[in-house]
Amino acid sequence: MSAIYQRVAFVGLGLIASSMAHAIRRAGLAGEITGTARSAETRQVALEIGLVDAVFDTAAEAVVGADLVVLCVPVGAMAGIAQEIAPYLEPGVTVTDVGSVKQAVIAAVGPHLPEHVHFIPGHPLAGTEHSGPRAGFAELFDNRWCILTPLDGGDAPALERLVSFWQGIGAHVDLMDPPHHDLVLAVTSHTPHLIAYTMVGVADDLRRVTDSEVIKYSAAGFRDFTRIAASDPTMWRDVFLTNKEATLEVLGRFTEELFALQRAIRTGDGVLLHDYFSRTRAIRRGIIEAGQDTAAPDFGRAKR
Amino acid sequence: MSAIYQRVAFVGLGLIASSMAHAIRRAGLAGEITGTARSAETRQVALEIGLVDAVFDTAAEAVVGADLVVLCVPVGAMAGIAQEIAPYLEPGVTVTDVGSVKQAVIAAVGPHLPEHVHFIPGHPLAGTEHSGPRAGFAELFDNRWCILTPLDGGDAPALERLVSFWQGIGAHVDLMDPPHHDLVLAVTSHTPHLIAYTMVGVADDLRRVTDSEVIKYSAAGFRDFTRIAASDPTMWRDVFLTNKEATLEVLGRFTEELFALQRAIRTGDGVLLHDYFSRTRAIRRGIIEAGQDTAAPDFGRAKR
């Protein structure tokens, strides 16, 4: 594949940026990759392991000459970065991001960018529990979804180019309007994460069960929660603070349903429980059929 | 390894029994394996694929001549089975089970068994989302925990023999008193399952997000919940009905903590959220160090 952008600049060099960099090199999608990160150590590692061709101390320097800028910082840091880089952006550059929330990013970034910039917010749905420039790998986005939420009146060729870029990285691309994105993610990601964090916190608090017991017997179901709950705390704090409305709506529904099941346990309503538990199997089958997971019988196995 | 039991009889031939049968053959732990199941189809499959050397239409017939009887039926079915087999149990036979709850099984099974039987309740902490006689595989218990909850005044050599048997199957064995087992499992397994079922139910209910969206974007966190929530509905109904007290206690703690986090989101308390999310990482590290999972960066990947 020939290069889609001449110079890609990453602001932030964590798991997502480093995985993108590996995937860009794998497919030859960029002439050159530059980057910056807040921490000097991260910048040095990124250069050492060859993630970037050049590293800069500031975001302003990193974006000079770039025709694609990818904002890979926590949602709460986006506004400051947008303000800093705005005067240094080339005419016709595409600016995108990888934030887990889209309305808040648009509100934070949009007002700072000059008119000659194509701002196309994005969100690749992929991740691991690991962070930092060494955590990246080229396959992270293979066959995963990347959702772009283009703004009204945006440039069609610029969008087409970014779509090809993400496809070259290995992802499937979907377009969505920003409020719907935030609701869909509140259901499929944000609320599940909050619940997982809560359950792990409860296990840690319950004095009569020791930490070592929780750890030893985690394979019985709890372990999948700890994997989710090990994600980056700063990123997740920002997600909940900036996708407040949708998360609180889904949480409200969740507690209503949980109370109904809790009541069924208390009153011994086995029919309600059995019906509820049967219904959820259909969704699981749908996920396997959609190729988003395998049916291999290795749940709970170390070989994963 | 030489045979530890001459004849092992399984009552119920689902995922756990079939995996045990494979592991028993792998290590040569039994002279002979017999079994029974409620469904004629299951009995036929078990015979066809060589899980058992002989299959019987009733539990009463299956246990005749056995020196180990393993009850692998849902907790709610244990009392009926115990009553049925009691007159056919040989003197000195060990009766064990694989139920996820221990106090309720002891209450259901214990009163029916004659004095010349060694009743040693057990619970192997392993499973997949699949059910039935074809779902079993020999490695299911390798390096997983099996908790035995021996009764006061039980026979020490019989216990030692059963411990060796589970070790031969590949598991680590722990001994615990029954009420503590039920609390530990309420934390590490039962409550997480209920929460996962609830979250999947909410996703299915929320009209403004379509099923196909939930399925497509499940890799963002939700998918791990669906895997948990795909487990056998009958088994889980019985778990919640029979471990009511401990589950409700842990659920109470869970909703308290969830409300505190919900309030922090509503009021924008980023410090509380960040502190909470940081604390849960330590538990995750403990699980990896304990060898109950790997740190491989493939969370959310199809290759698992």
Side-chain angles (χ1 to χ4, degrees):
Chain A
M1 194 177 288
S2 61
I4 292 175
Y5 295 102
Q6 285 318 305
R7 185 166 177 161
V8 176
F10 287 105
V11 180
L13 291 164
L15 167 70
I16 298 296
S18 58
S19 295
M20 287 179 73
H22 286 300
I24 289 168
R25 292 201 193 281
R26 180 180 65 175
L29 300 173
E32 200 182 3
I33 303 175
T34 70
T36 185
R38 204 178 43 176
S39 122
E41 192 194 333
T42 300
R43 293 195 297 269
Q44 198 188 328
V45 168
L47 201 57
E48 267 176 31
I49 67 177
L51 280 185
V52 292
D53 300 304
V55 75
F56 297 92
D57 289 355
T58 67
E61 295 167 278
V63 304
V64 171
D67 51 354
L68 178 69
V69 173
V70 190
L71 306 180
C72 302
V73 297
V75 175
M78 295 272 185
I81 296 289
Q83 194 167 15
E84 178 189 342
I85 63 174
Y88 303 91
L89 293 168
E90 308 289 339
V93 62
T94 293
V95 174
T96 189
D97 76 299
V98 299
S100 310
V101 173
K102 295 276 59 80
Q103 291 175 99
V105 167
I106 292 166
V109 171
H112 296 294
L113 299 185
E115 288 223 343
H116 60 72
V117 165
H118 306 300
F119 176 39
I120 308 171
H123 179 203
L125 306 193
T128 75
E129 68 194 67
H130 303 285
S131 320
R134 292 188 195 277
F137 55 104
E139 300 80 18
L140 180 63
F141 308 104
D142 287 353
N143 295 312
R144 297 296 158 197
W145 290 93
C146 178
I147 301 176
L148 300 179
T149 62
L151 306 179
D152 288 344
D155 186 67
L159 175 59
E160 212 172 290
R161 199 170 162 201
L162 188 61
V163 168
S164 301
F165 177 74
W166 271 109
Q167 288 169 341
I169 282 176
H172 306 298
V173 177
D174 254 3
L175 306 183
M176 217 178 259
D177 75 279
H180 192 65
H181 167 277
D182 289 357
L183 180 64
V184 168
L185 269 288
V187 173
T188 56
S189 176
H190 305 169
T191 308
H193 272 81
L194 192 75
I195 288 165
Y197 275 121
T198 307
M199 188 63 228
V200 174
V202 167
D204 191 37
D205 269 356
L206 208 76
R207 295 271 162 73
R208 288 187 293 132
V209 175
T210 67
D211 278 359
S212 67
E213 283 172 331
V214 168
I215 288 168
K216 273 168 77 174
Y217 308 125
S218 65
F222 182 71
R223 191 183 49 190
D224 284 325
F225 282 65
T226 68
R227 190 178 305 109
I228 299 176
S231 311
D232 183 58
T234 303
M235 177 195 139
W236 282 102
R237 177 200 63 195
D238 288 359
V239 165
F240 295 118
L241 294 180
T242 57
N243 198 19
K244 182 188 291 200
E245 204 180 314
T247 305
L248 290 177
E249 179 186 338
V250 179
L251 264 181
R253 292 293 297 266
F254 174 81
T255 45
E256 270 175 31
E257 301 243 349
L258 186 63
F259 286 160
L261 290 176
Q262 193 170 339
R263 187 169 181 283
I265 293 173
R266 203 182 294 279
T267 62
D269 187 345
V271 174
L272 187 151
L273 294 172
H274 192 274
D275 287 352
Y276 201 98
F277 299 163
S278 300
R279 190 159 61 86
T280 55
R281 282 196 151 179
I283 290 193
R284 175 70 188 155
R285 274 195 294 267
I287 287 172
I288 290 168
E289 281 161 19
Q292 293 297 300
D293 204 355
T294 64
D298 61 353
F299 170 47
R301 314 306 307 155
K303 71 189 171 199
R304 65 166 53 175
Chain B
M1 193 178 286
S2 61
I4 293 176
Y5 295 101
Q6 283 320 301
R7 184 168 179 161
V8 175
F10 287 105
V11 180
L13 290 165
L15 168 70
I16 298 296
S18 58
S19 295
M20 287 179 73
H22 286 300
I24 288 168
R25 292 202 194 281
R26 179 180 66 176
L29 299 173
E32 199 182 5
I33 303 177
T34 70
T36 184
R38 204 180 41 175
S39 121
E41 193 196 333
T42 301
R43 293 196 297 268
Q44 199 190 327
V45 168
L47 201 58
E48 266 175 31
I49 66 176
L51 280 185
V52 293
D53 300 302
V55 74
F56 296 92
D57 289 355
T58 68
E61 293 166 280
V63 304
V64 171
D67 52 355
L68 177 68
V69 172
V70 189
L71 307 179
C72 302
V73 296
V75 174
M78 294 273 185
I81 297 289
Q83 195 167 15
E84 178 189 342
I85 64 174
Y88 303 91
L89 293 168
E90 308 289 338
V93 62
T94 292
V95 174
T96 188
D97 76 301
V98 299
S100 310
V101 172
K102 297 275 60 82
Q103 291 175 99
V105 168
I106 292 167
V109 172
H112 297 292
L113 300 184
E115 289 224 341
H116 60 73
V117 166
H118 306 300
F119 176 37
I120 308 172
H123 179 203
L125 307 192
T128 76
E129 68 195 65
H130 303 284
S131 319
R134 293 188 194 276
F137 54 105
E139 300 79 17
L140 180 63
F141 307 104
D142 287 351
N143 294 313
R144 297 296 159 197
W145 289 93
C146 179
I147 302 176
L148 300 179
T149 61
L151 306 178
D152 288 344
D155 186 67
L159 175 59
E160 210 172 292
R161 199 171 162 201
L162 187 61
V163 168
S164 302
F165 176 74
W166 271 109
Q167 289 169 341
I169 283 176
H172 306 298
V173 177
D174 254 4
L175 305 183
M176 217 179 260
D177 76 278
H180 191 66
H181 167 277
D182 288 356
L183 179 64
V184 168
L185 269 289
V187 173
T188 56
S189 177
H190 305 168
T191 308
H193 271 81
L194 192 74
I195 288 164
Y197 275 120
T198 307
M199 188 64 229
V200 175
V202 168
D204 191 35
D205 269 356
L206 208 74
R207 296 268 164 75
R208 290 188 292 130
V209 176
T210 66
D211 279 0
S212 67
E213 284 173 331
V214 167
I215 288 168
K216 272 167 78 174
Y217 308 124
S218 65
F222 183 71
R223 190 182 50 191
D224 285 325
F225 282 67
T226 68
R227 191 177 303 109
I228 299 176
S231 312
D232 183 58
T234 304
M235 178 194 140
W236 282 102
R237 176 198 64 195
D238 287 0
V239 164
F240 295 118
L241 293 179
T242 56
N243 198 19
K244 182 187 292 201
E245 206 180 313
T247 304
L248 291 176
E249 179 186 338
V250 178
L251 264 182
R253 290 295 296 267
F254 174 81
T255 45
E256 271 174 32
E257 302 242 349
L258 186 63
F259 286 160
L261 289 176
Q262 193 170 339
R263 188 170 181 284
I265 293 174
R266 202 182 294 281
T267 61
D269 188 344
V271 174
L272 186 150
L273 293 173
H274 192 275
D275 287 353
Y276 202 97
F277 299 163
S278 301
R279 189 158 62 86
T280 55
R281 282 197 151 178
I283 290 192
R284 177 68 189 155
R285 275 195 293 269
I287 287 172
I288 291 168
E289 282 160 19
Q292 292 297 299
D293 204 353
T294 65
D298 61 354
F299 169 47
R301 314 305 308 155
K303 71 191 175 202
R304 62 167 54 175

